[in-house]
Amino acid sequence: MLTGTVRTQSASSLVTDSAAGATAFACGIKSYNGAIAVDPQGAPCGTIVEAAKNRGYSTGLVTTARITHATPAAFAAHVADRDMEDLIAIQLLAQNATTQSPTVDLMLGGGLCHFLPQSHAQSCRGDDTDVWLAAQRSGFSTLTNRREFDALSASSRLPLMGLFAPSHMAYEIDRNPSDQPSLAEMTQRALDILGKQSPDGFFLMVEGARIDMAGHDNDPAAHLRDIIEYWRTVNIVRQFVVTHPDTLVVSTSDHETGGLTLGINPEYLWRPELLKPITKSAESLCAHLHKLRKSQPSDVSEFISNTMLPEYLGIHNATDNEVEEIAQVLDNDKGHKRCKRTIGNVVSRRAHIGWSTGGHTGTDVGLYAFGHRADEFRGCMENTQLGRRLMQYLDVNPVEITKQLADIPTKQHAFVYRPHHDHD
């Protein structure tokens, strides 16, 4: 499937963020970091999803992040800043002007909190808008749990929105199968539904979002488990393509995250087997550590030494320095970032895995293609070229969509800007 590489820089930086990276794929243009399907001047740009819908294709978004997060948002929303997720939630319900039906027919992922009014216990909105109710009133089939997901069939009514977590879905290493479907399961269901109900074809964007987030945390075990789940998902899509030979699958990344190195000085050595016994992500462990620190601070070091390291991380010979290193970072640890990276680095050092950053890098990323006319997606190209080639493949043009979008609001009321790094 490997057919080339993709250059990732944005209009504002040699190191892109997910918003600008996804906008390049969705609109075929470079924009600034933080831009969600708007150009460098902040004007909306028509996306491949909107143009595909306009031409009669069915459309879908599947992700393990919030459905309002940067990558899925850039295919169907238009806001000046990626953190305007309250406005993105509203825009994801938009109707296509030509078909008079929702622009996105199927959405599966996390992020229910941005659809619930702020009076709701699980809400993260800054207002009282009930977007979930608005979705139901506009005809969406809605689901929020595993039981409802399992009841889906190829004939389930569209449009459909399934959000299975208030924020991001769980890392694969932490996922409880009785609570949340996996990326592979969501993709299989999306293919079943869209494959049956799309006589004119469909466009489906699938994102293994938590691979990136584990890279931000420098958490090699969580990173690996979500990569393996993405492989499972790719295999499911390949099988669909084999049985539907008029279908194309293209796989790539917005960017690289973490600056991962397999092998660190001074030895020529890499020990991936040390990741096998790890059963929890640094994210879940840090959440527990911070709760324990508040309720029973004297028990923190004992928990790290006697429970966390041997039982959850497979480290049975931890040094006092490693225990202390983790315990000390719990002070002033906003968002648990220092804790997560510290745990990740304790594991990484032992496995001889290196990380150059807790952010993104400017390196090229792989391009993979399989199926119908896959030979058109070969070579080294800009991310914008890939977006435009996908549009050419579908024979769609977003220019008319861009004209229709000229007057839509791209700024969220009472929005507070924050720098774009390490997005949770």
Side-chain angles (χ1 to χ4, degrees):
M1 282 183 63
L2 180 66
T3 58
T5 58
V6 178
R7 296 186 291 275
T8 60
Q9 71 183 74
S10 71
S12 62
S13 176
L14 291 172
V15 180
T16 191
D17 80 329
S18 296
T23 295
F25 297 144
C27 292
I29 66 168
K30 297 279 188 183
S31 196
Y32 57 88
N33 284 1
I36 297 292
V38 296
D39 67 20
Q41 290 71 48
C45 55
T47 73
I48 189 170
V49 165
E50 293 165 322
K53 184 67 175 184
N54 213 43
R55 193 171 175 81
Y57 292 99
S58 296
T59 56
L61 302 173
V62 174
T63 181
T64 48
R66 294 188 297 271
I67 199 71
T68 53
H69 209 235
T71 298
F75 284 85
H78 307 272
V79 298
D81 190 289
R82 59 180 289 169
D83 291 334
M84 296 177 176
E85 293 187 58
D86 287 357
L87 179 55
I88 290 170
I90 294 171
Q91 291 188 3
L92 288 176
L93 306 184
Q95 299 280 311
N96 180 274
T98 300
T99 65
Q100 294 301 305
S101 62
T103 297
V104 187
D105 295 296
L106 180 147
M107 290 178 268
L108 299 174
L112 182 61
C113 70
H114 282 288
F115 291 79
L116 301 173
Q118 63 181 347
S119 57
H120 193 285
Q122 290 189 316
S123 175
C124 57
R125 289 190 67 84
D127 60 29
D128 293 317
T129 304
D130 192 333
V131 186
W132 197 244
L133 180 60
Q136 293 167 339
R137 287 178 173 172
S138 63
F140 275 86
S141 302
T142 56
L143 47 152
T144 60
N145 58 55
R146 181 74 206 218
R147 177 183 56 81
E148 293 170 334
F149 176 83
D150 288 340
L152 289 174
S153 71
S155 301
S156 292
R157 181 173 57 84
L158 295 174
L160 182 151
M161 181 185 293
L163 303 181
F164 306 104
S167 186
H168 303 308
M169 297 181 71
Y171 280 115
E172 184 61 23
I173 198 171
D174 299 323
R175 184 178 64 87
N176 183 342
S178 64
D179 290 339
Q180 294 182 7
S182 68
L183 180 67
E185 289 173 319
M186 291 191 294
T187 301
Q188 181 68 73
R189 201 69 91 241
L191 291 172
D192 291 343
I193 294 170
L194 294 176
K196 181 175 181 177
Q197 301 186 42
S198 308
D200 296 319
F202 64 87
F203 178 92
L204 174 65
M205 193 288 296
V206 177
E207 181 195 24
R210 304 233 67 187
I211 297 171
D212 163 68
M213 297 175 198
H216 280 294
D217 292 345
N218 295 170
D219 182 346
H223 196 59
L224 175 61
R225 298 309 200 288
D226 269 82
I227 289 172
I228 292 172
E229 180 60 23
Y230 186 76
W231 290 349
R232 293 191 189 104
T233 304
V234 169
N235 189 50
I236 285 170
V237 178
R238 280 177 61 103
Q239 291 173 4
F240 183 91
V241 173
V242 168
T243 57
H244 299 77
D246 57 347
T247 306
L248 168 72
V249 56
V250 174
S251 176
T252 190
S253 306
D254 297 339
H255 48 72
E256 192 276 340
T257 305
L260 176 67
T261 303
L262 304 180
I264 53 176
N265 282 331
E267 300 175 80
Y268 291 176
L269 181 64
W270 171 40
R271 300 193 62 192
E273 71 274 9
L274 296 185
L275 305 184
K276 187 174 181 179
I278 298 175
T279 58
K280 289 185 181 294
S281 70
E283 178 180 90
S284 65
L285 291 172
C286 289
H288 182 78
L289 283 173
H290 277 275
K291 288 180 182 178
L292 186 63
R293 184 175 177 273
K294 289 181 180 180
S295 61
Q296 297 171 285
S298 61
D299 294 343
V300 169
S301 292
E302 181 180 351
F303 172 79
I304 294 171
S305 178
N306 297 337
T307 302
M308 188 186 85
L309 287 166
E311 292 187 18
Y312 301 137
L313 298 179
I315 298 175
H316 298 277
N317 59 345
T319 66
D320 291 342
N321 285 341
E322 288 173 322
V323 173
E324 188 62 21
E325 182 182 0
I326 296 169
Q328 285 183 343
V329 298
L330 300 178
D331 295 325
N332 301 315
D333 186 22
K334 184 178 181 182
H336 304 180
K337 287 186 176 68
R338 293 173 61 219
C339 175
K340 290 185 288 188
R341 288 182 192 158
T342 300
I343 290 175
N345 284 321
V346 166
V347 172
S348 296
R349 283 197 302 267
R350 286 173 168 260
H352 287 253
I353 293 170
W355 303 89
S356 67
T357 178
H360 301 167
T361 66
T363 189
D364 293 0
V365 295
L367 173 64
Y368 306 82
F370 178 75
H372 185 240
R373 291 166 53 187
D375 58 342
E376 297 176 16
F377 296 83
R378 294 186 180 277
C380 178
M381 65 186 73
E382 287 287 341
N383 50 13
T384 50
Q385 289 177 278
L386 177 55
R388 291 194 293 269
R389 286 192 191 184
L390 287 168
M391 293 173 192
Q392 290 168 2
Y393 174 82
L394 293 176
D395 192 21
V396 299
N397 189 333
V399 172
E400 286 303 315
I401 302 293
T402 298
K403 293 177 182 177
Q404 295 170 13
L405 295 169
D407 296 326
I408 70 163
T410 59
K411 294 185 178 180
Q412 182 176 304
H413 179 66
F415 175 75
V416 178
Y417 171 82
R418 65 188 176 105
H420 292 295
H421 301 289
D422 293 357
H423 284 268
D424 296 322

